[in-house]
Amino acid sequence: MGRGRLRIHLGAAPGVGKTYAMLAEAHRRVERGTDCVVAFVEHHDRPRTEALLQGLEQVERRRLEHRGGTFTEMDVDAVLARRPHVALVDELAHTNVPGSRNAKRWQDVEELLAAGIDVVSTVNIQHLESLGDVVESITGVRQRETVPDEVVRRADQIELVDMSPEALRRRMAHGNIYRPDKVDAALSHYFRPGNLTALRELALLWVADRVDAHLQQYRAEHHVSAIWGSRERIVVGLTGGPEGRTLIRRAVRLAEKGAGGEVLAVYIARSDGLTSASPKELAVQRTLVEDLGGTFHHVVGDDVPAALLAFARGANATQIVLGSSRRRTWQYVLGPGVGATVARDSGPDLDVHIVTHDEVAKGRGLPAARGARLGRWRILWGWLIAVGGPALLTLLLSHADAELGLANDMLLFLTLTVAAALVGGLAPALASAALGSLLLNWFFTPPLHRVSIADPRNLLALLVFVCVAVAVASVVDLATRRTHQAARLRAESEILSFLAGGVLRGETGPEDLLERVRETFGMESAALLERADDLAPWTCAGRVGAGPAPARPEDADVDVPVGDHMALALTGRVLPAEDRRVLAAFAAQSAVALDRRRLRHEADRAGELAEGNRIRTALLAAVSHDLRTPLAGIKAAVSSLRSDDVAWSPEDEAELLAGIEEGADRLDHLVGNLLDMSRLQTGTVTPLIREIDLDEVVPAALGGVPEGSVDLDIPETLPMVAVDPGLLERSVANLVENAVKYSPRGSRVLVAASALADRVEVRVVDRGPGVPDAAKERIFEPFQRYGDAPRGAGVGLGLAVARGFAEAINGTLAAEDTPGGGLTMVLTLRAAGAQPGPAGSDGRPERQTT
């Protein structure tokens, strides 16, 4: 049985028509004979959506009781038993009612997919987990119900349901999305044109990135090397020279001309000789391109033009930006240069821009180092000089009228031998020396045209010529190899300096390092494998690139051990042995980065444990007296009542019983706050949000204070608030009890409420001593008591619990000075309708978990 396929209708905001599109798709499938059922769809009283539900089979929902209310959720067991070919599941990010089979609806969907059932679902862009902070900065609303990005990315199909902000606001104004009493608040808050435009851009860019990832995967699987210009990608070729900044800015301007343009700056270091690149200048250019939104890449390549074109085609780039050559005029004798070669070989699908700059024709500074790893053309030219040069020189000297003498002839042949060594290496130079000695003997040493030599001095001269030629060729070849080694070491040191700098600054994680090594050596994938001991199986601690990670280091093309139980595994091609030194450094740094990440996680856990230990220490210190005091009073009163030595009057007995009751109340209040704080610390508070009037909640919160100590001012015209009534009542109760405790005798606490835009504020005003500005935040920390409060006044949890519950219901709690003296606690709540509900909903507040 295969896994089912997931199709998601993605929208930028509630009301764009995701559920409508999903139901329309279901009708088309049913008409084609597909077995399609509605597992869970909310129509939210929208007539057109409700009409589309007609004619579709609906699986009966499961009913759940929670806090006195009845709720319905998708019945996963019933859908699995029905086993349709396609199931419609609305609101993928929805949080299920406590007691459901799974905590989140996307987990229900995973069960259906695992059972082989295809699922069509809906979700809004603001419910993606990675975009929570961005959405909050745009709309001011923190989405509590989210779905992991990976769940949506794994979908087989994602269809963007798009609508312009103006059209969506018209739908809203016509009452097609929310009820008429909620339209004005929604249009003035969440559904502002700027908010909708920003959310629409987020949705479009997110889908575009996923499409780009699918395109890259398709190109890799089908070995497509041609460039598909689906979006502008501009590669900037850097040399490490001062012109790089000009090229980067020019490329960024080109990218800005088209939406979604991307800039990739690449520096290619020759392995057979390094150009005069300044590490400091490269670091500046790297910072510049990253600040402008591009990426920097460091690649090693023997042939710079070929490596640059290979990188551009691998990145599916559409344009290459290069600077005009800094070489002087005479240096063009050595070849056409990188720019001309790239422009010639780029082909019709890759545009090349040659940008002028202030450094044109000013020279490249230090000459490029030559190496021993010669290209095919260098070796060919070396042999041509070694073979053709002596023959051509012999022809010229044979037809020359002037007789130069044997010594000068030998110097000319020796010059050709040195040239062959410089161009082609040792082998062509030795061949040139041997051929030159034979030609000198045959054509220029008496007797001519014979192998024999008549004069012994000429024989000595020829032997000296051969020895000098071999010695010069050997020295030139040795110098070339030494130069190559120095150049390679310099290239390696530059790569390692970039590596060490990023690691020491803590900017590079294991995946970043793996991507760098994969990119630097042109591999298909890189993975970091580890195991617990010699007998344990290998596991993948991190990987980048296409294709699956190798199961063992032996399965990779290149493996570099890191210690006894870790290895860096690369696939793509076999690398030369001289590259393993740099690979070993990358492997060691990857292991360090992995260990640092794990240590950071352990440090975070240790911090949490330390904070918990601090809380427990403060708890023990705080309750050591506050628990014992009421217990001591209760015990003393009970002992007195049970004593047979004293005859208590009815008034005395009543007073002792009142003391027992008061102590029990104090203990109950203390234990309640401790339990509430424990729930907040462990994140187990689960609000049940619903719409309610404040005058139904606030009066009930005053039961713990003396009668007549509080004045209420709750206007009947206030809008309803979207809260958990129980949590709001506890929060207000703690605020009022704290205000009454610190208010002067005979002074009454004022509890007033007012509406402000899309919010409702509850103010608890006292005339007590007040709190300095520096301590206004500290009073909300657990076990904090300000001033000279008596020890029996509590353990300092009331305000901490009040703020925790306020944040759990999407509110805020802050302290302000009361004009004329005292402290005012401001509890800000969201008015009903101010915050849209889950994807595709009509704005009813969603259940949230804190």
Side-chain angles (χ1 to χ4, degrees):
M1 179 181 61
R3 179 180 172 84
R5 298 175 59 84
L6 175 61
R7 176 171 180 167
I8 293 179
H9 293 266
L10 177 69
V16 295
K18 301 177 303 303
T19 305
Y20 190 92
M22 179 179 67
L23 293 175
E25 171 68 17
H27 278 283
R28 288 192 294 271
R29 295 195 181 202
V30 170
E31 291 174 359
R32 295 195 299 263
T34 304
D35 182 15
C36 184
V37 302
V38 176
F40 188 97
V41 170
E42 286 283 4
H43 57 76
H44 301 297
D45 298 327
R46 297 171 186 170
R48 296 183 179 179
T49 305
E50 189 174 2
L52 279 179
L53 281 171
Q54 303 299 321
L56 296 176
E57 179 185 349
Q58 300 186 43
V59 177
E60 187 176 352
R61 302 182 186 181
R62 182 185 179 191
R63 296 184 176 274
L64 296 170
E65 301 290 336
H66 183 66
R67 291 194 174 184
T70 302
F71 303 89
T72 60
E73 295 288 2
M74 179 175 67
D75 193 335
V76 180
D77 292 327
V79 178
L80 292 174
R82 170 61 176 77
R83 228 184 144 65
H85 183 69
V86 179
L88 307 184
V89 182
D90 204 5
E91 302 177 3
L92 186 64
H94 171 78
T95 300
N96 293 331
V97 173
S100 300
R101 183 190 188 98
N102 296 301
K104 304 289 288 187
R105 183 163 294 161
W106 64 264
Q107 296 171 326
D108 296 338
V109 169
E110 287 293 322
E111 286 198 38
L112 299 182
L113 294 173
I117 300 174
D118 293 348
V119 176
V120 183
S121 188
T122 64
V123 72
N124 273 342
I125 192 69
Q126 67 263 28
H127 293 291
L128 295 182
E129 199 168 71
S130 65
L131 300 179
D133 295 338
V134 179
V135 172
E136 184 179 14
S137 66
I138 294 171
T139 64
V141 176
R142 181 67 179 183
Q143 297 295 332
R144 300 292 182 179
E145 292 195 332
T146 60
V147 58
D149 289 44
E150 186 60 27
V151 174
V152 183
R153 289 185 184 277
R154 287 200 307 263
D156 300 279
Q157 296 182 54
I158 295 180
E159 179 177 334
L160 179 65
V161 183
D162 189 28
M163 180 176 290
S164 68
E166 294 77 11
L168 183 56
R169 284 172 59 85
R170 282 197 302 270
R171 288 194 65 194
M172 175 75 68
H174 293 159
N176 294 332
I177 302 176
Y178 291 166
R179 296 196 302 268
D181 58 329
K182 297 182 178 181
V183 169
D184 291 339
L187 289 176
S188 62
H189 180 57
Y190 194 91
F191 286 81
R192 292 195 298 265
N195 288 1
L196 296 177
T197 301
L199 291 173
R200 188 187 189 197
E201 182 181 22
L202 273 180
L204 290 171
L205 291 177
W206 194 91
V207 173
D209 287 340
R210 189 176 185 278
V211 170
D212 184 63
H214 276 290
L215 178 62
Q216 295 291 353
Q217 181 181 357
Y218 178 86
R219 284 167 51 85
E221 291 175 352
H222 292 78
H223 306 289
V224 178
S225 58
I227 293 174
W228 292 355
S230 54
R231 64 186 295 186
E232 291 295 334
R233 282 191 180 85
I234 303 175
V235 171
V236 186
L238 301 179
T239 64
E243 79 281 359
R245 306 183 200 182
T246 302
L247 302 184
I248 291 171
R249 294 188 178 97
R250 177 60 175 162
V252 170
R253 290 197 298 272
L254 287 173
E256 289 175 347
K257 292 181 180 180
E262 185 179 354
V263 175
L264 300 89
V266 57
Y267 170 67
I268 299 177
R270 300 178 191 249
S271 63
D272 64 342
L274 200 63
T275 58
S276 54
S278 167
K280 181 179 179 181
E281 182 64 27
L282 280 177
V284 171
Q285 293 173 15
R286 180 191 186 108
T287 302
L288 175 63
V289 71
E290 290 176 350
D291 289 344
L292 294 176
T295 56
F296 184 89
H297 306 267
H298 193 117
V299 178
V300 174
D302 294 333
D303 187 340
V304 174
L308 182 61
L309 287 171
F311 178 86
R313 296 185 185 280
N316 199 30
T318 56
Q319 303 179 55
I320 296 179
V321 174
L322 299 173
S324 296
S325 178
R326 288 186 285 136
R327 296 194 299 174
R328 301 187 189 277
T329 304
W330 64 267
Q331 290 177 308
Y332 283 97
V333 177
L334 303 176
V338 173
T341 305
V342 170
R344 181 192 65 200
D345 299 338
S346 61
D349 52 357
L350 189 58
D351 298 334
V352 179
H353 301 266
I354 305 296
V355 179
T356 59
H357 50 84
D358 296 336
E359 304 297 322
V360 174
K362 291 185 178 181
R364 298 180 62 88
L366 297 175
R370 294 181 177 87
R373 188 182 295 174
L374 303 175
R376 182 175 57 184
W377 288 103
R378 283 280 300 275
I379 296 175
L380 181 62
W381 275 103
W383 280 104
L384 184 62
I385 294 173
V387 176
L392 181 61
L393 180 60
T394 300
L395 182 63
L396 292 175
L397 294 176
S398 298
H399 292 79
D401 295 334
E403 185 69 29
L404 299 179
L406 183 60
N408 290 328
D409 293 340
M410 286 184 177
L411 289 176
L412 292 175
F413 277 94
L414 183 60
T415 301
L416 289 176
T417 300
V418 173
L422 289 173
V423 176
L426 181 61
L430 295 177
S432 177
L435 181 60
S437 63
L438 292 175
L439 292 175
L440 283 169
N441 182 23
W442 187 265
F443 288 100
F444 304 104
T445 304
L448 301 180
H449 308 299
R450 292 185 180 181
V451 178
S452 60
I453 300 175
D455 190 345
R457 291 176 297 179
N458 293 339
L459 177 61
L460 179 61
L462 284 175
L463 291 177
V464 171
F465 166 77
V466 172
C467 293
V468 171
V470 172
V472 170
S474 300
V475 170
V476 171
D477 180 71
L478 180 63
T480 303
R481 285 189 283 111
R482 292 290 185 264
T483 303
H484 161 67
Q485 293 173 1
R488 181 170 183 83
L489 290 175
R490 183 178 174 184
E492 290 179 358
S493 66
E494 182 176 312
I495 294 173
L496 294 176
S497 67
F498 277 114
L499 172 65
V503 171
L504 290 176
R505 290 191 300 269
E507 300 171 352
T508 308
E511 288 76 13
D512 298 324
L513 288 172
L514 293 175
E515 178 62 28
R516 176 69 59 82
V517 70
R518 186 196 67 81
E519 187 178 79
T520 298
F521 294 97
M523 306 301 285
E524 292 181 0
S525 67
L528 196 61
L529 306 179
E530 64 176 350
R531 60 181 177 179
D533 52 57
D534 294 337
L535 301 179
W538 290 94
T539 59
C540 182
R543 64 170 302 277
V544 295
R552 302 175 303 166
E554 296 81 5
D555 299 335
D557 295 316
V558 180
D559 68 284
V560 180
V562 187
D564 296 332
H565 303 123
M566 187 175 291
L568 175 65
L570 305 176
T571 58
R573 62 189 177 94
V574 178
L575 294 178
E578 55 190 1
D579 288 336
R580 295 183 69 87
R581 181 169 56 251
V582 179
L583 280 175
F586 271 105
Q589 294 291 7
S590 299
V592 170
L594 181 63
D595 290 340
R596 185 172 60 243
R597 183 170 67 182
R598 290 173 175 172
L599 288 174
R600 187 182 299 115
H601 291 165
E602 292 180 4
D604 293 341
R605 291 182 57 193
E608 295 175 358
L609 293 174
E611 176 63 18
N613 187 59
R614 187 189 68 83
I615 294 293
R616 285 192 294 271
T617 303
L619 170 64
L620 291 175
V623 305
S624 61
H625 182 277
D626 294 282
L627 277 176
R628 295 176 63 184
T629 299
L631 284 174
I634 293 173
K635 180 174 177 57
V638 172
S639 299
S640 300
L641 288 173
R642 296 185 61 186
S643 175
D644 298 331
D645 300 335
V646 181
W648 301 102
S649 64
E651 293 79 7
D652 293 335
E653 290 183 357
E655 184 177 352
L656 291 172
L657 290 174
I660 293 173
E661 184 178 12
E662 180 183 356
D665 290 340
R666 287 174 57 188
L667 284 177
D668 180 68
H669 185 268
L670 175 61
V671 172
N673 273 339
L674 289 174
L675 292 176
D676 290 339
M677 180 52 59
S678 174
R679 293 168 60 203
L680 289 170
Q681 292 288 339
T682 56
T684 56
V685 177
T686 305
L688 183 62
I689 305 298
R690 64 185 180 90
E691 299 177 5
I692 194 170
D693 288 319
L694 278 180
D695 56 9
E696 298 181 31
V697 178
V698 175
L702 309 182
V705 297
E707 187 175 353
S709 60
V710 177
D711 290 333
L712 275 180
D713 182 12
I714 310 294
E716 295 182 357
T717 57
L718 285 179
M720 301 177 72
V721 291
V723 296
D724 182 309
L727 298 183
L728 176 60
E729 180 182 335
R730 289 298 309 276
S731 182
V732 173
N734 282 6
L735 295 178
V736 173
E737 291 174 7
N738 184 77
V740 170
K741 180 170 58 180
Y742 284 97
S743 293
R745 187 177 299 275
S747 175
R748 298 166 70 93
V749 172
L750 173 63
V751 179
S754 60
L756 180 63
D758 59 343
R759 303 175 184 274
V760 175
E761 290 185 350
V762 179
R763 293 177 170 267
V764 180
V765 184
D766 67 60
R767 294 293 179 179
V771 175
D773 292 339
K776 280 189 171 61
E777 281 300 313
R778 194 166 66 249
I779 62 177
F780 292 105
E781 297 178 4
F783 308 107
Q784 296 291 324
R785 291 186 294 187
Y786 178 73
D788 56 351
R791 294 293 295 179
V795 294
L797 284 176
L799 295 183
V801 171
R803 172 172 277 191
F805 283 170
E807 293 175 349
I809 57 177
N810 299 320
T812 60
L813 178 60
E816 298 179 356
D817 291 328
T818 301
L823 188 67
T824 298
M825 292 292 179
V826 182
L827 176 60
T828 305
L829 306 170
R830 297 186 186 277
Q835 176 184 358
S841 73
D842 65 347
R844 289 185 294 184
E846 58 193 56
R847 286 183 294 275
Q848 302 166 352
T849 302
T850 298

